[in-house]
């Protein structure tokens, strides 16, 4: 498949997470005590996440059987998803290469419309390779929209580029880029947990939550 900036539509419809928050979701959930009152509602439990990750791994394996794609993790938020995806691929005996890239388009609770790229990725690692970008969440698609042509310029002989995203946010405006492998379609709430942060907090939650007003207003510097 030739590299294209117009990333293909998802091959499997994501699981729809309803608009209404789950009730009673705190039972059986564990989180650091400093986050008390910071969690508005539970969106996706860890067990549901891991089951969906296994589904995505099976789809990737079906497409790349006999090939060794580069799984390119977009740090930091995608890291837990990435690690569990790799575990599931290993269980399927799927070979792959691992690479990491640090990209950010967020400032607080808003998407800035600009990205910052780092992480020391060498373009040569992507030459003549099939590449799967592993993202935590797609909302406006701004990150991918700007990242794809940069990768194309740096690795001109890249064979293909696809996107695997755990979450796709439902917005009024369609995203600028799509994921071929998509886990969940979620309502337009600011979410945290399972690698997703708000000002570098809450990545250490096992489940995915909607952040509360108290969480948004919390001064992270007070934790030292």
């Amino acid at each position: 498949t030739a590299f294209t900036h117009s990333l293909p539509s998802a091959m499997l419809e994501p699981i729809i997470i309803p608009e209404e928050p789950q009730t009673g979701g705190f039972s059986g959930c564990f989180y650091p005590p400093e986050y008390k009152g910071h969690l508005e509602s539970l969106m996706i439990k860890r067990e549901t996440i891991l089951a969906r990750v296994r589904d995505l791994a099976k789809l990737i394996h079906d497409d790349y059987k006999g090939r060794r794609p580069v799984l390119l993790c977009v740090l930091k938020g995608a890291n837990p998803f990435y690690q569990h995806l790799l575990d599931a691929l290993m269980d399927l005996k799927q070979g792959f290469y691992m690479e990491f890239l640090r990209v950010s388009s967020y400032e607080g609770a808003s998407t800035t419309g600009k990205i910052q790229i780092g992480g020391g990725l060498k373009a040569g690692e992507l030459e003549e390779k099939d590449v799967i970008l592993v993202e935590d969440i797609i909302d406006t698609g701004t990150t991918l929209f700007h990242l794809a042509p940069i990768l194309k310029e740096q690795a001109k002989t890249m064979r293909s580029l696809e996107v695997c995203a755990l979450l796709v946010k439902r917005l009024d405006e369609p995203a600028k880029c799509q994921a071929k492998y998509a886990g969940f379609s979620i309502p337009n709430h600011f979410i945290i947990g399972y690698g997703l942060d708000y000002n570098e907090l809450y990545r250490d939650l096992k489940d995915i939550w909607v952040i509360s007003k108290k969480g948004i207003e919390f001064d992270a510097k007070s934790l030292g």
Side-chain angles (χ1 to χ4, degrees), residues 124-145:
E125 302 296 336
L126 307 182
E127 298 285 359
E128 302 293 336
K129 297 287 198 312
D130 298 301
V131 178
I132 304 174
L133 270 170
V134 181
E135 268 275 28
D136 52 359
I137 184 169
I138 296 176
D139 43 31
T140 64
T142 298
T143 299
L144 297 178
F145 182 79

Side-chain angles (χ1 to χ4, degrees), residues 133-178:
L133 270 170
V134 181
E135 268 275 28
D136 52 359
I137 184 169
I138 296 176
D139 43 31
T140 64
T142 298
T143 299
L144 297 178
F145 182 79
H146 291 286
L147 179 59
I150 293 172
L151 294 177
K152 178 182 178 181
E153 177 62 28
Q154 293 181 350
K156 292 181 173 62
T157 63
M158 186 190 307
R159 279 200 296 260
S160 66
L161 174 66
E162 304 290 1
V163 176
C164 178
L166 179 64
L167 307 168
V168 178
K169 188 176 286 189
R170 297 192 296 273
L171 302 175
D172 293 335
E173 294 291 328
K176 296 177 182 178
C177 288
Q178 306 294 321

Side-chain angles (χ1 to χ4, degrees), residues 54-67:
R54 290 190 291 271
D55 292 341
L56 296 174
K58 179 61 166 60
L59 290 173
I60 292 171
H61 176 59
D62 289 344
D63 285 348
Y64 292 88
K65 195 178 299 183
R67 291 185 285 168

Side-chain angles (χ1 to χ4, degrees), residues 172-216:
D172 293 335
E173 294 291 328
K176 296 177 182 178
C177 288
Q178 306 294 321
K180 182 174 184 181
Y181 309 101
F184 301 91
S185 170
I186 64 170
N188 187 17
H189 300 301
F190 196 88
I191 56 171
I192 52 174
Y194 194 68
L196 294 152
D197 78 302
Y198 179 72
N199 292 337
E200 292 301 323
L201 294 180
Y202 313 112
R203 296 190 194 275
D204 47 351
L205 294 168
K206 295 176 67 174
D207 311 287
I208 295 176
W209 299 81
V210 177
I211 192 171
S212 69
K213 186 173 183 291
K214 180 178 179 179
I216 291 174

Side-chain angles (χ1 to χ4, degrees), residues 55-88:
D55 292 341
L56 296 174
K58 179 61 166 60
L59 290 173
I60 292 171
H61 176 59
D62 289 344
D63 285 348
Y64 292 88
K65 195 178 299 183
R67 291 185 285 168
R68 295 178 60 86
V70 177
L71 273 77
L72 178 54
C73 179
V74 181
L75 296 170
K76 300 179 184 178
N79 188 52
F81 173 42
Y82 184 76
Q83 297 300 329
H84 288 132
L85 183 64
L86 297 190
D87 285 344

Side-chain angles (χ1 to χ4, degrees), residues 103-107 110-117 140 142-144 146-147 150 176:
V103 182
S104 176
S105 65
Y106 273 90
E107 184 175 304
S110 302
T111 303
T112 64
K114 300 178 181 179
I115 66 169
Q116 296 178 326
I117 300 175
T140 64
T142 298
T143 299
L144 297 178
H146 291 286
L147 179 59
I150 293 172
K176 296 177 182 178

